[in-house]
Amino acid sequence: MTNEIVKNLDFGVNYKQSEITINNKEQLIETVQQYANKYQGFIFTEEDIQQGKSVRAELNKVATAIDNKRKDVKKQFNQPYVAFESEVKGIISLIKDVSDPIDAGIKELEEKQRKEKIKTITELVSKMALENEVDPSMIVTSQSWTNKTTSMKQIEESIQFQITNIKQEEERKKGEIAIVKSVCEAYKIDSTGWLSHLDRGDSAAVIVQKIEASEKRKREEEERKKAEEARRAELEKQRLVAQEQAEKERMEQEATKEVYLEDDVLTEENYVEDPFVEVPPEVVNEPVFEQPRTSIIEITGTETQFKQLNQYMKTLGIKVKAYNG
């Protein structure tokens, strides 16, 4: 049927090419060229300007007349084409009246076939994915699969290729997860946070490096804290020892404390012998006949020193009395 239509529609167009000529063209060109040569590079003066305007007006008249003639010839020349064009458009309109419903029917059928193919593809994706224990949503479909030129065999091969890659990626990810979990177990830390780095694109090797660096910082911080605690403990120990020693000395002083005269001046009357104080040996002096003298002095020292001084002065026979200055 198609061949018969084409055969019956075989047609031709008779066309005779027209010739358009300009009468006295050579003379016109020569005249215009003479004016052009005469006035090319010409510098007008006040005396020449009127003549220049006159020549310009004449040349413009010639140019206008020639262009008007061109327009008139074009209009007449186009009349046969305009009529031919109108006839052709009318025939095309008749053809479209027939072809448009056919085109609509073809498109409707093709759309139906496309939807049926999409349904078949969807079912195939679901079937192959489930058989391979893969999430069907992970299979990426292509718009080109709905084309008539793409066979179901090609589509199946493309789906299988994606499934293979997905399963390989899952195996790789399982291995990465196992590595991260193993390292976290070795360090006795929770792996949840570190595993999230895999979703961010980090490899297991990179994550392990980060874990080791983090644990190293933790150890250094713990060692620093321990050293600081040890230093503080040592200082506290020294403080307690010093405090204990001071308290011991205070208690010893309280136990051996004597009653002194006002201003801590020692006399024979208020001296009490301290058995714990080492008393210097008694000094035996040869009798010396010296006149005694009296001096007022200020003495500063500890309780023990006062006791020793008191004993020493006593052995020398020095008399002491309180001074209320």
PDB file of all heavy atoms in Angstrom, residues 1-9:
ATOM      1  N   MET A   1       0.834  -1.209   0.000  1.00  0.00           N
ATOM      2  CA  MET A   1       0.000   0.000   0.000  1.00  0.00           C
ATOM      3  C   MET A   1       0.859   1.246   0.000  1.00  0.00           C
ATOM      4  O   MET A   1       0.594   2.209  -0.710  1.00  0.00           O
ATOM      5  CB  MET A   1      -0.933  -0.023   1.220  1.00  0.00           C
ATOM      6  CG  MET A   1      -1.814   1.219   1.354  1.00  0.00           C
ATOM      7  SD  MET A   1      -2.899   1.124   2.784  1.00  0.00           S
ATOM      8  CE  MET A   1      -3.734   2.700   2.657  1.00  0.00           C
ATOM      9  N   THR A   2       1.916   1.203   0.773  1.00  0.00           N
ATOM     10  CA  THR A   2       2.797   2.365   0.867  1.00  0.00           C
ATOM     11  C   THR A   2       3.458   2.657  -0.468  1.00  0.00           C
ATOM     12  O   THR A   2       3.532   3.814  -0.906  1.00  0.00           O
ATOM     13  CB  THR A   2       3.855   2.128   1.946  1.00  0.00           C
ATOM     14  OG1 THR A   2       3.213   1.843   3.179  1.00  0.00           O
ATOM     15  CG2 THR A   2       4.747   3.350   2.122  1.00  0.00           C
ATOM     16  N   ASN A   3       3.939   1.618  -1.133  1.00  0.00           N
ATOM     17  CA  ASN A   3       4.594   1.817  -2.427  1.00  0.00           C
ATOM     18  C   ASN A   3       3.642   2.402  -3.455  1.00  0.00           C
ATOM     19  O   ASN A   3       4.034   3.219  -4.298  1.00  0.00           O
ATOM     20  CB  ASN A   3       5.152   0.483  -2.938  1.00  0.00           C
ATOM     21  CG  ASN A   3       6.319   0.004  -2.076  1.00  0.00           C
ATOM     22  OD1 ASN A   3       6.987   0.820  -1.467  1.00  0.00           O
ATOM     23  ND2 ASN A   3       6.525  -1.301  -2.041  1.00  0.00           N
ATOM     24  N   GLU A   4       2.355   1.965  -3.426  1.00  0.00           N
ATOM     25  CA  GLU A   4       1.366   2.498  -4.360  1.00  0.00           C
ATOM     26  C   GLU A   4       1.141   3.982  -4.128  1.00  0.00           C
ATOM     27  O   GLU A   4       0.995   4.762  -5.068  1.00  0.00           O
ATOM     28  CB  GLU A   4       0.052   1.726  -4.213  1.00  0.00           C
ATOM     29  CG  GLU A   4       0.137   0.280  -4.690  1.00  0.00           C
ATOM     30  CD  GLU A   4      -1.173  -0.445  -4.498  1.00  0.00           C
ATOM     31  OE1 GLU A   4      -2.115   0.183  -3.965  1.00  0.00           O
ATOM     32  OE2 GLU A   4      -1.254  -1.640  -4.856  1.00  0.00           O
ATOM     33  N   ILE A   5       1.119   4.367  -2.857  1.00  0.00           N
ATOM     34  CA  ILE A   5       0.912   5.787  -2.543  1.00  0.00           C
ATOM     35  C   ILE A   5       2.072   6.611  -3.074  1.00  0.00           C
ATOM     36  O   ILE A   5       1.868   7.658  -3.706  1.00  0.00           O
ATOM     37  CB  ILE A   5       0.758   5.984  -1.020  1.00  0.00           C
ATOM     38  CG1 ILE A   5      -0.546   5.329  -0.543  1.00  0.00           C
ATOM     39  CG2 ILE A   5       0.780   7.460  -0.654  1.00  0.00           C
ATOM     40  CD1 ILE A   5      -0.730   5.341   0.937  1.00  0.00           C
ATOM     41  N   VAL A   6       3.276   6.142  -2.824  1.00  0.00           N
ATOM     42  CA  VAL A   6       4.450   6.872  -3.287  1.00  0.00           C
ATOM     43  C   VAL A   6       4.473   6.947  -4.812  1.00  0.00           C
ATOM     44  O   VAL A   6       4.797   7.979  -5.390  1.00  0.00           O
ATOM     45  CB  VAL A   6       5.742   6.187  -2.765  1.00  0.00           C
ATOM     46  CG1 VAL A   6       6.968   6.843  -3.374  1.00  0.00           C
ATOM     47  CG2 VAL A   6       5.784   6.251  -1.254  1.00  0.00           C
ATOM     48  N   LYS A   7       4.084   5.841  -5.447  1.00  0.00           N
ATOM     49  CA  LYS A   7       4.073   5.820  -6.916  1.00  0.00           C
ATOM     50  C   LYS A   7       3.060   6.794  -7.473  1.00  0.00           C
ATOM     51  O   LYS A   7       3.333   7.538  -8.425  1.00  0.00           O
ATOM     52  CB  LYS A   7       3.764   4.395  -7.390  1.00  0.00           C
ATOM     53  CG  LYS A   7       3.800   4.245  -8.904  1.00  0.00           C
ATOM     54  CD  LYS A   7       3.531   2.801  -9.287  1.00  0.00           C
ATOM     55  CE  LYS A   7       3.563   2.657 -10.817  1.00  0.00           C
ATOM     56  NZ  LYS A   7       3.277   1.252 -11.234  1.00  0.00           N
ATOM     57  N   ASN A   8       1.870   6.817  -6.846  1.00  0.00           N
ATOM     58  CA  ASN A   8       0.818   7.718  -7.312  1.00  0.00           C
ATOM     59  C   ASN A   8       1.146   9.174  -7.005  1.00  0.00           C
ATOM     60  O   ASN A   8       0.617  10.082  -7.647  1.00  0.00           O
ATOM     61  CB  ASN A   8      -0.520   7.345  -6.692  1.00  0.00           C
ATOM     62  CG  ASN A   8      -1.028   6.000  -7.191  1.00  0.00           C
ATOM     63  OD1 ASN A   8      -0.697   5.587  -8.312  1.00  0.00           O
ATOM     64  ND2 ASN A   8      -1.802   5.312  -6.353  1.00  0.00           N
ATOM     65  N   LEU A   9       1.976   9.395  -6.012  1.00  0.00           N
ATOM     66  CA  LEU A   9       2.316  10.764  -5.641  1.00  0.00           C
ATOM     67  C   LEU A   9       3.568  11.263  -6.346  1.00  0.00           C
ATOM     68  O   LEU A   9       4.040  12.350  -6.055  1.00  0.00           O
ATOM     69  CB  LEU A   9       2.524  10.842  -4.116  1.00  0.00           C
ATOM     70  CG  LEU A   9       1.252  10.734  -3.262  1.00  0.00           C
ATOM     71  CD1 LEU A   9       1.611  10.775  -1.788  1.00  0.00           C
ATOM     72  CD2 LEU A   9       0.263  11.839  -3.603  1.00  0.00           C
TER      73      LEU A   9
END
